Amino acid sequence: LLLAVCAVGIGGTFQYGYNVSIINAPTQHIHKFLNETWSSRYHKELNPDLLTFLWSVIASIFSLGGLCGALIGGSMAIRLGRKGALLMNNIIAILASILMGISFPTGLFELLIAGRFLIGINSGVGLCVQPLYIGEFAPKHLRGGLAMGTSIFLTGGILTGQIIGLRELLGGEKHWPLLLSSSCIPALAQLLFLPWFPESPRYLLIDRGDELSCAKALKRFHGSSEYRREMEDIQRECFALDGEKPRKPWQLFTDPAVRWQLITVIVMTMGQQLSGINAIYFYATYVFEQAGIVAEKIPYVTLGTGVCECLTALSCVRSNYVGRRCLIIGGYLLMTLWCTVLTFSLTYQELYSWVPYMSMMCVFAFILSFGLGPGGITNTLTAELFVQSSRPAAYMIAGTVSWISFFTVGMLFPFIVNGLKQYCFVVFLLECFFVAAFIFLIIPETKNKSFLEIKKEFHKLNFGRNA
């Protein structure tokens, strides 16, 4: 099971974290490349406004690709299987790496844009299919811990990108094309290791009707002496679905039986993106400067934020013992607290010499709290709130909401910061508090419950207590 999570994660959410992270290091080198390419092609200087526009396209086209990937990820998982979709997804990553790698020697910045779009598609598909696959092959009592592999590999990708992007490694002027094309390495690793593992047992029995292959897959994942209980659970779900085919996203919106599950997933996904984590990263450099850290050393201190996320994701494997509901509510409430403290510390940053260090503590504490709850549990709950026929469509909807929110934050965030300054965290603390309240009032605990048992819990919400 552990090896399967590693084989799935290296080419899944790891790619997302890695490609979000590595684009920051070569910013100045890409600006220079755009200027030189424009001058040699058109024999005139590149307008600064056009330079800003081209850079914005290169940076933001990734999220547009991610949205496209989320929209096709569920369909790929249904047609090719969970494992087949992930394997096919690596072809997109390799093609993207080639395009980004040859953009500099060929002098075609358009290839860089195309490569970023394709690697965005790869990340969108990975974010959709990886938690789906892990949630379906994990045994009920280990589902929470194994599903945290999604968060562990995502934060591991961010940290790896921060390290590889240092100027001493591939972040320098000579090597930045290699940095952008290095995303082919996780793709090749997954193509090498993932074929050794079986397809999702639930997909094999419920979607394909192949009971023999399902039993073989369960024996591989759970052991020949432990697989029968899980087999019975899958058979019960298959019987309850009564041959129902995989559903389309728009069918979920019109089905009252999944109304509150869908609202929950949308609220949690938007809450994750709009929680203020991007504001924390934006303010981190300012906070570190105020604490007296030399500008040249800040990239190395920023590595600490990546380490924080990784450590929290690893510790959240204990969600299997604590419970999803407790962790995600606690995470949001702690983020509310740190937003409040950070607002005060940034307001009085220059009043006392110790205040900048309190701001530094808040930055790291907020990131730890985010990893404790929203960063780690959201994808796990999305897998648990839906039965087999609705799960791929639910991930398509969650992925679409996530990428649209990600793009919206990227567009509006600079205006929020410029308008409200440090008081922008008041907006985020209110958002975190309301999401915590929603989860407290609506979401039941899902730990150690089968998908059918969770469906029954929501049946009361969807149709009333006496349903």
Side-chain angles (χ1 to χ4, degrees):
L1 284 169
L2 180 61
L3 290 173
V5 171
C6 292
V8 173
I10 191 64
T13 50
F14 181 90
Q15 285 280 34
Y16 169 74
Y18 187 71
N19 284 285
V20 163
S21 182
I22 60 171
I23 195 63
N24 297 316
T27 300
Q28 297 303 320
H29 308 315
I30 294 175
H31 282 185
K32 184 179 178 182
F33 165 58
L34 291 171
N35 277 315
E36 290 176 350
T37 303
W38 194 271
S39 297
S40 63
R41 191 185 296 181
Y42 300 108
H43 306 293
K44 62 179 181 180
E45 290 294 317
L46 178 58
N47 184 286
D49 292 334
L50 185 55
L51 173 63
T52 303
F53 172 75
L54 287 174
W55 168 247
S56 299
V57 169
I58 291 169
S60 62
I61 199 77
F62 176 79
S63 59
L64 181 60
L67 176 59
C68 295
L71 290 171
I72 66 172
S75 299
M76 288 176 65
I78 293 167
R79 293 184 181 182
L80 305 174
R82 292 26 170 172
K83 174 182 161 184
L86 288 171
L87 290 173
M88 183 62 68
N89 195 33
N90 290 305
I91 306 301
I92 301 173
I94 292 169
L95 179 58
S97 299
I98 293 170
L99 292 178
M100 289 188 287
I102 65 174
S103 62
F104 179 71
T106 58
L108 295 170
F109 61 80
E110 294 86 352
L111 295 180
L112 189 55
I113 295 171
R116 285 289 293 174
F117 178 72
L118 287 176
I119 203 65
I121 292 176
N122 170 269
S123 299
V125 172
L127 276 173
C128 178
V129 181
Q130 178 185 327
L132 180 63
Y133 185 27
I134 294 176
E136 289 182 358
F137 71 62
K140 182 169 59 178
H141 65 289
L142 294 177
R143 195 189 305 135
L146 292 181
M148 282 305 301
T150 298
S151 182
I152 291 169
F153 277 92
L154 193 155
T155 54
I158 291 173
L159 179 60
T160 304
Q162 289 174 337
I163 295 170
I164 300 296
L166 293 173
R167 61 178 177 269
E168 291 85 354
L169 297 175
L170 295 182
E173 187 173 356
K174 293 181 180 179
H175 303 301
W176 69 263
L178 289 176
L179 176 65
L180 295 183
S181 62
S182 60
S183 51
C184 68
I185 296 174
L188 291 170
Q190 188 172 76
L191 284 172
L192 181 64
F193 295 114
L194 188 57
W196 295 93
F197 296 92
E199 180 55 86
S200 159
R202 290 180 179 274
Y203 173 79
L204 290 170
L205 180 58
I206 300 175
D207 292 342
R208 290 285 179 86
D210 190 344
E211 191 166 340
L212 182 61
S213 295
C214 173
K216 287 181 179 178
L218 284 172
K219 287 177 183 177
R220 287 282 309 280
F221 282 128
H222 302 172
S224 56
S225 60
E226 301 290 333
Y227 82 98
R228 285 189 176 83
R229 188 182 304 152
E230 199 70 24
M231 184 75 178
E232 289 170 2
D233 185 45
I234 297 174
Q235 286 171 332
R236 279 195 294 271
E237 186 175 343
C238 184
F239 179 76
L241 290 171
D242 194 25
E244 183 180 352
K245 298 294 182 184
R247 308 174 73 189
K248 305 295 183 186
W250 54 86
Q251 292 176 313
L252 297 191
F253 284 105
T254 57
D255 184 0
V258 295
R259 181 189 300 121
W260 278 104
Q261 293 95 312
L262 203 55
I263 292 171
T264 298
V265 165
I266 291 171
V267 169
M268 287 197 308
T269 305
M270 289 182 68
Q272 186 185 45
Q273 289 292 347
L274 306 178
S275 62
I277 190 69
N278 297 299
I280 286 290
Y281 279 119
F282 179 85
Y283 262 98
T285 299
Y286 168 74
V287 168
F288 295 152
E289 285 174 350
Q290 291 295 309
I293 296 169
V294 182
E296 289 76 17
K297 302 293 183 184
I298 286 177
Y300 303 95
V301 179
T302 306
L303 286 177
T305 61
V307 172
C308 273
E309 281 198 280
C310 272
L311 290 176
T312 312
L314 286 167
S315 67
C316 273
V317 172
R318 292 190 65 82
S319 66
N320 191 49
Y321 306 103
V322 178
R324 292 29 145 192
R325 192 169 179 270
C326 178
L327 275 177
I328 198 165
I329 293 172
Y332 273 116
L333 289 178
L334 284 173
M335 288 161 69
T336 304
L337 170 66
W338 298 124
C339 277
T340 306
V341 177
L342 189 57
T343 301
F344 281 105
S345 65
L346 288 173
T347 303
Y348 301 105
Q349 189 88 341
E350 298 176 0
L351 196 59
Y352 301 104
S353 60
W354 52 267
V355 174
Y357 298 98
M358 178 182 284
S359 299
M360 280 184 67
M361 183 200 74
C362 287
V363 167
F364 286 104
F366 187 95
I367 292 168
L368 285 167
S369 303
F370 177 80
L372 178 71
I377 310 299
T378 303
N379 277 327
T380 306
L381 279 172
T382 304
E384 292 182 328
L385 299 187
F386 295 88
V387 293
Q388 186 76 10
S389 59
S390 303
R391 201 173 293 123
Y395 268 105
M396 289 172 70
I397 293 169
T400 302
V401 170
S402 179
W403 285 100
I404 290 174
S405 302
F406 181 68
F407 181 76
T408 304
V409 166
M411 293 296 291
L412 298 182
F413 175 69
F415 299 101
I416 295 172
V417 172
N418 289 336
L420 298 177
K421 305 299 181 185
Q422 72 273 17
Y423 297 107
C424 69
F425 288 103
V426 174
V427 177
F428 299 125
L429 74 87
L430 289 173
E431 191 269 352
C432 289
F433 178 78
F434 284 124
V435 174
F438 174 87
I439 294 166
F440 177 78
L441 295 170
I442 299 298
I443 302 179
E445 181 54 69
T446 60
K447 184 184 73 171
N448 291 338
K449 292 180 181 177
S450 70
F451 295 126
L452 286 178
E453 289 169 339
I454 296 167
K455 182 183 178 182
K456 287 179 183 177
E457 292 271 0
F458 274 93
H459 191 77
K460 299 170 188 175
L461 277 172
N462 290 321
F463 297 104
R465 297 289 175 183
N466 298 322

